[in-house]
């Protein structure tokens, strides 16, 4: 991967966040006891003397669900399916209390189920809904899970604050299934607030990234996060399905390895019984061995580890690699084109099948739609250098792209070709690993490539040297200790077809496809040099 | 997982294998130089004086393929597609030299492509095939990769030794693309020899497991291994597709964790910058957090690590976990039945779509077809205890299944119900982890289950306690230090639906489905306490 060394100044905001989180936790502890007592009291009153409670049995705290019965008679409906229910029909819904507001003899609840919301109403009447029942409903902490039985009622004027805008639920039974703390470390409403809001007051109420990650279980409940991780699952599914259709076989490669795979730098050490071992920085050797073992075209999806102390918006110490490797007949462009085409198909699949998720992310974050060409734009490194020089950058022919140059190039390419995805072929040999096949027509270059989304590298790949003697020669040229890579070289002594491949960072693809600004937004439980929890 | 303590005596065979491998390596070094010289000589003779070589240009060693040209005019055909080619048509094929036999003026080669083989013939003639060309062909080491141009010729009598039995290839051009060592550490023929062979001589020529694993690149080329890993890819694909169709979302969970997930025993330690971290023994906490975060139904496929010094036929230190977790409404059987049904669909998918792979494995290993019922058989633990007692086993009601009892039970169930798959529900509470939900109707039992294939456990799962207070109570009962699992408990304080799930060992499923005797046969690059390479 092209390295970058930008250290982002997150320290300041992190400290502030920690303090805020600490304060919130303290307040929460206090409020929790209070709320639990209130809920309890609401229930106790059902047997109290103040007035007769004719709603007994229609509300309350459910005993912890321990699989005693099946309640097969309860007709549960998903919130997003409510609009298909017959007018005035009675349904059961399980969901979270998103917001609640008790107002005299009425209680308004917004019930949330993943990204769908619906308004629920309880109003005291003479026979079925007692004031105790309304009070109980109003005392349930936000984010608690409840079961309700309710009548589906059409409304005249749209309910703008809910995803179900044309109906509301008139509650006839309500039970608390699982209570949330009364005081939460963050409010879903705040965590979900659009970044593009025009309201300066609203923009002040931001949830800091560390607060989000420290309380990921809550943070993941926002509509944007629900969408991000569903789309991420889609990227993996598309990657695998597209390659399976092209005749690739999925393999699984070991993460614990006996020797550091890429030279020993930036590798995590593991205690392995009485020995030391390492965490694989890439599945590359194993993918190549699978090719040498006649699997012809392989892919693997799995954890990749980098012990790099990079605290940037795009580095993680553990991420998911989408890796592929493919034997070819005579030219590595057979592979390059297969990878390029795979990306095109992924982008089309996302556009066509995940429009709802993309829109949900767009509700919170400012995102330009992702643009791509078919077939993808392919440039040679020398062309990129020319474009950069024309834009005023001073650089040598064989110099690697700096991070600012990489980003500038992305903008230049976007302006000239109107695409957010492109392939850069023929990298200088000097900046690639020893196992990269040199360009046969120009010894300064190599049969290697990177691919970019919105100006950031998301794939690095190459034709690998499949000839053991030449591999030794190139390793020596790089001053690599041959004894340490003997096993790697040995794999090519039993006949190996020419092959090429590449590794894709899953979280980067999702971040850049959606135009997000930090890779921690696309890793469900991110790991970086300073974060190992949750 | 139910533990077993059987230590298999592999030490003896391992030593023998190591010696054999060493000897072979020595012999190989010698022979290699000889063969390389011979091949070189064969080629040199093309320009020699002995007799005019009219085949110059039609054979030889190809320059290392470095992507100089594309040879777009070469019509490459797969071996298994040759039977669809027009009679006497000219085709190009790339494959390995499986065997070769030079016989005077003729050379017979068997060309192998993955699991397909075809006979190739070169015979000296007056104009196109010189004796130098035949000699060159005969000198190519086995397992080398070659390109041939050949005429597809129908044969009268079937060629029993090849998968293409009704045709052979008459070679008109032949080029060595990638040479193998002349002396290989194992012969594919030996490694592929049927274990059920009646020939006592043939049975003696066995390739030891460690020799296979030490030379995995060669070993993986056998038809059985090609089939095993294609079927394994199928298991993963089926698992994911079936669950995706049931509304599950794929997630990715971190492998590096800050605290040992299951109590601290059997966990690998990682140096994490200036701290220590651990490798996750299961994705369970993260699956549960995803449920608490409203993902409702999730699965994840990824590496799982166990620092257990178990040298048995069924333990690995790193394996692939197929994990799932699902929120339910009132009874964990909603989940149990989903998992059971998922297995049924996987078994059907394998039977219907991988018949060729199953047959290929059956060619080498004695395998009884896998039997299953639809819906799957579901027994309660107490029933199993009764069956075992009737068969003479002495055990307490709340005692865990020993490995011999587990196997015996598998045989009893097979005899009585004719199924290789069954579900055992309601395990004794005492033998399950603290987070397991107790059975509400009998405090001796729990809402937990294992699933078995051919009498071995392949899934362990349960309803998890979703109530934080009750979780604390159960942890205390197990004398667990609450401070160490505070983060785990915290995840349930924001409202969490009741949920259940399970974890499946991928390699075990493939091993047991195919009726193989060792899990190292179904891990492409296995890791055990004594093996970290390749």
């Amino acid at each position: 991967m092209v390295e970058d060394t930008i250290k982002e100044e997150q320290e300041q905001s992190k400290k502030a966040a920690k303090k805020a989180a600490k304060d919130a936790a303290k307040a929460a502890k206090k409020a929790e006891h209070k709320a639990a007592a209130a809920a309890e009291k609401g229930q106790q009153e059902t047997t109290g003397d103040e007035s007769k409670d004719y709603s007994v049995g229609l509300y309350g705290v459910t005993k912890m669900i321990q699989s005693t019965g099946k309640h097969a008679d309860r007709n549960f409906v998903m919130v997003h399916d409510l609009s298909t229910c017959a007018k005035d029909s009675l349904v059961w819904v399980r969901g979270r209390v998103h917001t609640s507001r008790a107002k005299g003899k009425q209680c308004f609840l917004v019930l949330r189920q993943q990204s769908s919301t619906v308004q629920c109403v309880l109003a005291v009447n003479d026979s079925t809904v007692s004031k105790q029942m309304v009070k109980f409903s109003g005392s349930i902490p936000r984010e608690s899970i409840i079961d309700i039985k309710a009548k589906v009622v059409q409304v005249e004027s749209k309910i703008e604050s809910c995803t179900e805008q044309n109906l509301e639920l008139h509650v006839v039974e309500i039970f608390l299934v699982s209570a949330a703390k009364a005081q939460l470390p963050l409010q879903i409403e705040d965590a979900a607030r659009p970044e593009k809001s025009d309201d300066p007051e609203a923009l002040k109420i931001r949830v800091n990234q560390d607060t989000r990650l420290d309380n990921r279980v809550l943070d993941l409940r926002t509509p944007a996060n629900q969408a991000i991780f569903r789309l991420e699952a889609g990227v993996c599914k598309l990657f695998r399905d597209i390659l399976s259709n092209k005749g690739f076989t999925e393999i699984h490669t070991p993460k614990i390895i006996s020797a550091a795979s890429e030279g020993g730098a930036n590798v995590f050490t593991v205690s392995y019984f009485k020995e030391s071992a390492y965490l694989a920085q890439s599945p590359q050797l194993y993918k190549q061995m699978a090719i040498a073992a006649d699997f012809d075209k392989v892919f693997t999806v799995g954890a990749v580890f980098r012990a790099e102390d990079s605290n940037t918006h795009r580095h993680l110490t553990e991420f998911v690699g989408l890796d592929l490797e493919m034997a070819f007949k005579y030219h590595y462009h057979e592979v390059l084109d297969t990878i390029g085409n795979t990306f095109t198909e992924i982008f089309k699949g996302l556009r066509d099948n995940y429009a709802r998720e993309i829109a949900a992310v767009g509700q919170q974050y400012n995102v330009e739609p992702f643009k791509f060409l078919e077939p993808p734009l392919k440039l040679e490194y020398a062309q990129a250098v020319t474009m950069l020089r024309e834009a005023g950058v001073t650089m040598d022919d064989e110099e690697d792209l700096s991070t600012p140059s990489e980003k500038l190039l992305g903008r230049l390419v976007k302006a000239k070709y109107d695409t957010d995805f492109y392939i850069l072929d023929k990298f200088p040999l000097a900046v690639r690993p020893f196992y990269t096949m040199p360009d046969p027509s120009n010894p300064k270059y190599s049969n290697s490539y990177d691919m970019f989304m919105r100006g950031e590298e998301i794939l690095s790949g190459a034709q690998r040297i499949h000839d053991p003697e030449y591999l030794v020669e190139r390793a020596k040229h790089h001053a690599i200790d041959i004894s340490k890579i003997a096993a790697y070289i040995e794999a090519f002594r039993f006949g190996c077809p020419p092959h090429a491949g590449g590794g894709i960072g899953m979280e980067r693809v999702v971040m850049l496809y959606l135009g997000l600004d930090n890779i921690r937004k696309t890793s469900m439980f991110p790991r970086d040099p300073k974060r190992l929890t949750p």
Side-chain angles (χ1 to χ4, degrees), chain A:
Chain A
M1 278 193 196
V2 177
E3 300 301 309
D4 65 3
T5 49
I6 293 178
K7 301 256 172 186
E8 284 159 347
E9 295 176 28
Q10 297 177 323
E11 294 311 291
Q12 287 293 328
S13 68
K14 212 168 172 178
K15 266 188 198 158
K18 274 198 181 152
K19 190 176 173 327
K22 222 172 175 180
D23 293 349
K26 263 190 206 163
K29 266 260 162 81
K30 258 191 209 165
E32 194 180 355
H33 291 290
K34 232 169 157 181
E40 191 88 353
K41 202 172 158 225
Q43 205 187 7
Q44 278 171 354
E45 278 173 13
T46 65
T47 53
D49 297 315
E50 201 186 320
S51 64
K52 179 154 168 50
D53 184 357
Y54 37 81
S55 301
V56 171
L58 301 180
Y59 72 97
V61 180
T62 299
K63 204 168 157 268
M64 177 181 69
I65 293 174
Q66 202 176 347
S67 308
T68 38
K70 298 199 176 182
H71 292 293
D73 55 316
R74 294 188 178 177
N75 164 38
F76 274 94
V77 175
M78 298 291 285
V79 169
H80 60 72
D81 289 333
L82 283 170
S83 57
T84 65
C85 292
K87 202 183 143 194
D88 295 339
S89 56
L90 278 172
V91 297
W92 280 90
V93 183
R94 175 171 292 177
R96 291 191 187 276
V97 176
H98 184 59
T99 60
S100 85
R101 190 160 44 98
K103 233 191 178 183
K105 295 190 163 184
Q106 285 192 316
C107 176
F108 291 87
L109 289 174
V110 173
L111 194 77
R112 192 183 79 237
Q113 212 177 54
Q114 298 173 351
S115 302
S116 308
T117 46
V118 61
Q119 174 161 287
C120 305
V121 186
L122 286 105
V124 175
N125 62 21
D126 292 339
S127 52
T128 56
V129 179
S130 65
K131 67 179 186 184
Q132 292 91 337
M133 182 172 171
V134 172
K135 195 173 172 189
F136 168 81
S137 304
S139 70
I140 301 172
R142 284 186 184 200
E143 294 303 306
S144 298
I145 295 175
I146 57 174
D147 280 354
I148 59 166
K149 184 180 180 185
K151 192 159 80 170
V152 183
V153 178
Q154 303 298 313
V155 292
E156 297 283 304
S157 51
K158 281 197 171 187
I159 302 167
E160 298 288 348
S161 58
C162 289
T163 61
E164 297 305 304
Q165 307 201 321
N166 302 314
L167 56 87
E168 63 182 16
L169 296 177
H170 290 189
V171 177
V172 297
E173 297 189 32
I174 178 165
F175 300 98
L176 176 62
V177 169
S178 174
K181 281 180 170 185
Q183 196 77 26
L184 300 172
L186 59 84
Q187 297 300 322
I188 304 300
E189 248 178 318
D190 297 337
R193 205 176 298 279
E195 294 208 339
K196 57 188 175 187
S197 168
D198 294 331
D199 178 1
E201 281 310 302
L203 277 174
K204 279 189 203 158
I205 311 167
R206 280 281 187 83
V207 182
N208 180 287
Q209 181 171 268
D210 275 307
T211 306
R212 288 176 185 273
L213 296 178
D214 288 341
N215 301 284
R216 195 63 159 157
V217 162
L218 279 169
D219 181 43
L220 287 172
R221 293 179 191 167
T222 64
N225 276 337
Q226 289 285 316
I228 286 170
F229 292 99
R230 285 183 163 78
L231 183 129
E232 189 159 276
V235 168
C236 289
K237 183 172 167 49
L238 286 162
F239 176 79
R240 290 184 303 243
D241 288 352
I242 292 162
L243 291 177
S244 296
N245 286 339
K246 292 183 196 291
F248 281 71
T249 300
E250 182 178 14
I251 62 168
H252 299 278
T253 66
K255 308 307 168 214
I256 303 181
I257 55 173
S258 61
S261 46
E262 293 181 21
N266 302 333
V267 67
F268 288 113
T269 308
V270 184
S271 303
Y272 196 77
F273 301 99
K274 282 162 191 165
E275 293 170 68
S276 271
Y278 306 94
L279 291 183
Q281 290 167 294
S282 95
Q284 194 184 319
L285 166 57
Y286 295 97
K287 286 189 301 177
Q288 292 192 260
M289 287 174 77
I291 296 298
D294 286 350
F295 284 90
D296 196 42
K297 299 171 185 174
V298 298
F299 70 85
T300 185
V301 175
V304 166
F305 306 91
R306 303 277 163 93
E308 218 176 306
D309 198 2
S310 298
N311 297 279
T312 78
H313 77 285
R314 66 175 185 174
H315 282 92
L316 293 170
T317 52
E318 177 182 342
F319 61 91
V320 175
L322 308 176
D323 274 89
L324 74 166
E325 201 73 25
M326 174 181 158
F328 62 82
K329 289 290 186 296
Y330 297 109
H331 203 294
Y332 75 99
H333 280 183
E334 298 167 35
V335 180
L336 187 73
D337 292 340
T338 300
I339 302 176
N341 171 274
T342 299
F343 272 106
T344 303
E345 288 191 49
I346 289 175
F347 299 147
K348 282 182 171 179
L350 292 177
R351 180 193 65 194
D352 299 344
N353 305 324
Y354 293 85
R356 217 176 48 174
E357 283 77 9
I358 295 165
V361 176
Q363 286 290 315
Q364 179 160 2
Y365 301 105
N366 267 313
V367 183
E368 292 284 311
F370 189 84
K371 290 200 168 181
F372 59 97
L373 301 176
E374 190 180 358
L377 175 67
K378 200 157 64 182
L379 298 173
E380 291 205 356
Y381 197 84
Q383 290 175 277
V385 171
T386 304
M387 283 173 78
L388 285 168
R389 282 181 185 149
E390 281 169 7
V393 175
T394 311
M395 71 182 287
D396 287 340
D397 283 353
E398 294 177 66
E399 195 179 323
D400 206 353
L401 287 179
S402 67
T403 303
S405 291
E406 192 180 298
K407 288 205 173 150
L408 172 58
L409 184 61
R411 287 195 297 275
L412 297 172
V413 168
K414 178 75 181 270
K416 187 164 176 186
Y417 300 98
D418 198 28
T419 177
D420 287 310
F421 176 76
Y422 71 98
I423 299 172
L424 198 54
D425 194 15
K426 296 274 172 220
F427 267 67
L429 182 60
V431 304
R432 306 297 271 201
F434 75 95
Y435 49 73
T436 308
M437 184 66 87
D439 181 345
S441 58
N442 187 337
K444 274 164 58 177
Y445 294 101
S446 65
N447 293 349
S448 71
Y449 40 84
D450 278 5
M451 303 194 185
F452 297 85
M453 286 171 67
R454 299 196 203 254
E456 295 191 41
E457 178 252 315
I458 45 102
L459 172 138
S460 199
Q463 175 178 358
R464 331 290 188 181
I465 297 173
H466 63 284
D467 182 286
E469 303 317 324
Y470 192 47
L471 197 55
V472 168
E473 187 186 318
R474 293 294 308 159
K476 281 182 179 161
H477 180 84
H478 278 253
I480 287 169
D481 181 350
I482 303 296
S483 69
K484 288 204 173 147
I485 56 163
Y488 180 67
I489 293 166
E490 194 63 15
F492 303 106
R493 295 203 192 275
F494 308 119
C496 183
H499 59 283
I504 302 167
M506 175 191 76
E507 292 88 349
R508 281 199 189 177
V509 169
V510 177
M511 168 178 80
L512 295 165
Y513 180 81
L514 290 173
L516 300 174
D517 60 358
N518 195 304
I519 199 156
R520 291 161 189 79
K521 287 195 170 80
T522 58
S523 173
M524 194 174 260
F525 301 104
R527 292 291 179 259
D528 65 33
K530 289 172 182 142
R531 176 171 291 281
L532 259 177
T533 54

